[in-house]
Amino acid sequence: MIQSPRGTRDLLPSEMERRRFYEGILRNTAQRYGFREIQTPIFEEAELFILRSGPNIINELYAFKDKGGRDLALRPEMTAPAIRAFVNNMSNDPKPIKIFYFGQCFRYERPQSGRYREFFQFGAEIIGTATPQTDAEVIATALDMVKALGLKEYKARIGHIGVLRRELAQVGVAAEKMPEILQKLDKKLYEEAWPLMEAAGVGREDADAIFDLTGTVGGNEVLGRISGGESEYLRQVLSYLSAMGIDAPEIDLGVVRGLDYYTGVVFEIEAPALGAEKQICGGGSYTLSELFGGEKVFSTGFAIGFDRVLLALEKEGASCPGRKIDAYIVAASCDVTPKAFEIAGMLRRNGISADIDLADRKMAKAMKHASSIGSRYTVIVGSEDLKNDSVTLRDMTSGEQKTVKISGLLAEIRDH
Ligand code: HAM
């Protein structure tokens, strides 16, 4: 039997109903904050992701040549495509530009719970402003989204990648060596970071001080440990968040992020219940447009790992409205099938969801099917009733049945 490829899933009707419900909440929240949706291609020129995403992403890229010999890649994330789309189509629009997106991403990772090769991100970007207000707005949007989904247990951490980049530069790490070291620091793999730092000319004491910095976590007091302007910047971001009534994220100078393009504030949200793959959202400020042929423009954004956030909600026992079918229509005999279809048409035109027997089933089987699909009512169309322009309406919850004039059927179903 052919199965779906490793790391991918088929999303079946119940799961899709659940996903559309939560997607709607994210979409509404994005719109409440003034973001507008964009959609970009699922594959792009591979170079788009190779230029600045960093070693993590490049190693996981689904890259291929098309029949014309072009080097393409399935998108591993949607920030680089969003900025490419901005450079290509929106660079003259009034700024800041607030956009959001939802779609599949692909990474050749080792699949496990919460980690897939095809997964969905819901993300947003503010393009064209580099202010603490922008960062606060983005973080508020992300946190409000997670809250609106109804997730109870989650934790947000905010840092500033400028601090670590400066410290590394000060101890002699050249710019081209930084991505690999930052990647190790992101995962707190100090033993793997050390030989890279040593090779870059860093002494053991300096390395330990940097390791120590990445472990610095806490409240406002942490800001006192930062020497540069990043401290004041973070303070402002936190003050705008507080003004909006958003709970303060923890300050964590060890938030490095797995992608290489960040330049300023970085943040992550995690759901501890998820264990190893607990990061449900990541983001920060960056510049990419100049790499794609545009002017240098600062942006801030985030992406929520949609599959992970749904797993976290499931673990918390969150429920959402399921399938809804108002009426299942059954013709008691073949000669009244056209009338059954006429009634189905009338109900659907009037906004009632109606399904209909398509298999000339016997009444008992048709009833069983109506109950298995969760229909609220069954409408039984029989020749005797039809003589009085009536049908039999069965309430599938109470089991009660009554004869109803066809002219009153719509109101009967709608009113209950
Ligand atoms: P990222 O942290 O690489 O950031 O991914 C964002 C989120 O996608 C993660 O927090 C995680 O929840 C989810 N995710 C990542 N990989 C997988 C996977 N293999 N399976 C399931 N979920 C996964 C970005 O992609 C940036 N583009 C975010 C951003 C937007 N930064 C600025 N703007």
Side-chain angles (χ1 to χ4, degrees), residues 57 76-79 101 107 109 114-117 119 121 124-125 257 259 261-262 279-284 286 300-305 307-308:
I57 289 286
E77 57 108 36
M78 283 145 90
T79 302
Y101 47 77
R107 296 183 190 178
E109 296 199 77
R115 196 204 284 155
Y116 311 99
R117 289 185 174 168
F119 60 98
Q121 283 191 347
E125 316 284 340
R257 308 284 300 120
L259 288 145
Y261 45 63
Y262 297 101
Q279 200 197 110
I280 53 168
C281 174
Y286 61 91
T300 307
F302 69 88
I304 287 176
D307 311 270
R308 280 192 197 167

Side-chain angles (χ1 to χ4, degrees), residues 258-300:
L259 288 145
D260 196 34
Y261 45 63
Y262 297 101
T263 51
V265 163
V266 278
F267 69 99
E268 290 178 351
I269 308 175
E270 59 188 42
L274 292 182
E277 300 303 317
K278 62 185 175 194
Q279 200 197 110
I280 53 168
C281 174
S285 64
Y286 61 91
T287 69
L288 275 173
S289 49
E290 71 280 17
L291 292 176
F292 306 154
E295 284 174 24
K296 184 166 179 163
V297 171
F298 283 90
S299 317
T300 307

Side-chain angles (χ1 to χ4, degrees), residues 50-189:
I50 292 170
L51 280 173
R52 185 55 64 76
S53 300
N56 268 351
I57 289 286
I58 294 170
N59 291 336
E60 293 166 355
L61 212 53
Y62 272 93
F64 58 99
K65 267 195 200 303
D66 75 0
K67 290 195 166 86
R70 297 175 195 87
D71 286 309
L72 302 175
L74 299 182
R75 61 185 181 204
E77 57 108 36
M78 283 145 90
T79 302
I83 297 302
R84 182 203 46 71
F86 158 76
V87 170
N88 293 166
N89 312 292
M90 295 181 275
S91 56
N92 294 324
D93 291 2
K95 300 195 188 43
I97 294 168
K98 293 172 104 175
I99 49 175
F100 77 92
Y101 47 77
F102 176 63
Q104 276 108 321
C105 297
F106 304 85
R107 296 183 190 178
Y108 192 78
E109 296 199 77
R110 200 168 45 78
Q112 63 180 71
S113 171
R115 196 204 284 155
Y116 311 99
R117 289 185 174 168
E118 181 193 37
F119 60 98
F120 288 73
Q121 283 191 347
F122 194 106
E125 316 284 340
I126 301 184
I127 306 171
T129 41
T131 56
Q133 293 92 307
T134 309
D135 295 346
E137 178 86 340
V138 163
I139 296 171
T141 310
L143 282 168
D144 237 0
M145 281 185 177
V146 174
K147 194 171 171 189
L149 291 171
L151 194 69
K152 295 188 196 82
E153 293 292 321
Y154 60 91
K155 203 169 103 182
R157 299 175 300 127
I158 180 174
H160 197 302
I161 194 69
V163 177
L164 211 49
R165 284 191 193 278
R166 192 186 51 242
E167 295 290 327
L168 285 169
Q170 267 170 10
V171 297
V173 177
E176 68 274 13
K177 301 258 187 250
M178 248 181 235
E180 219 182 346
I181 295 172
L182 286 172
Q183 186 201 342
K184 301 294 180 197
L185 295 180
D186 175 44
K187 301 210 165 101
K188 306 268 192 292
L189 298 170

Side-chain angles (χ1 to χ4, degrees), residues 180-380:
E180 219 182 346
I181 295 172
L182 286 172
Q183 186 201 342
K184 301 294 180 197
L185 295 180
D186 175 44
K187 301 210 165 101
K188 306 268 192 292
L189 298 170
Y190 300 126
E191 265 149 44
E192 292 181 29
W194 165 238
L196 298 172
M197 290 166 85
E198 194 179 24
V202 182
R204 184 70 223 194
E205 244 175 60
D206 286 336
D208 284 340
I210 285 172
F211 297 157
D212 191 37
L213 192 70
T214 66
T216 308
V217 182
N220 275 351
E221 75 282 357
V222 170
L223 298 177
R225 287 202 53 183
I226 310 174
S227 52
E230 292 91 1
S231 171
E232 178 51 27
Y233 194 97
L234 279 172
R235 204 187 305 277
Q236 286 190 41
V237 174
L238 292 168
S239 79
Y240 291 123
L241 283 172
S242 153
M244 280 187 271
I246 304 283
D247 290 340
E250 195 173 53
I251 302 169
D252 183 344
L253 301 181
V255 180
V256 177
R257 308 284 300 120
L259 288 145
D260 196 34
Y261 45 63
Y262 297 101
T263 51
V265 163
V266 278
F267 69 99
E268 290 178 351
I269 308 175
E270 59 188 42
L274 292 182
E277 300 303 317
K278 62 185 175 194
Q279 200 197 110
I280 53 168
C281 174
S285 64
Y286 61 91
T287 69
L288 275 173
S289 49
E290 71 280 17
L291 292 176
F292 306 154
E295 284 174 24
K296 184 166 179 163
V297 171
F298 283 90
S299 317
T300 307
F302 69 88
I304 287 176
F306 189 63
D307 311 270
R308 280 192 197 167
V309 97
L310 258 54
L311 268 181
L313 283 162
E314 195 182 320
K315 280 198 195 291
E316 289 187 355
S319 63
C320 66
R323 150 176 236 218
K324 185 181 144 285
I325 277 281
D326 297 316
Y328 187 71
I329 298 151
V330 187
S333 52
C334 292
D335 54 319
V336 297
T337 300
K339 193 70 190 173
F341 272 88
E342 192 185 307
I343 292 170
M346 180 274 290
L347 291 176
R348 289 166 177 165
R349 270 195 301 283
N350 286 284
I352 300 290
S353 54
D355 200 354
I356 184 163
D357 176 46
L358 302 173
D360 288 335
R361 266 188 267 244
K362 294 258 180 313
M363 192 52 67
K365 281 208 167 154
M367 286 297 191
K368 216 169 148 193
H369 186 71
S371 139
S372 78
I373 64 168
S375 182
R376 283 169 56 218
Y377 290 101
T378 302
V379 178
I380 302 159

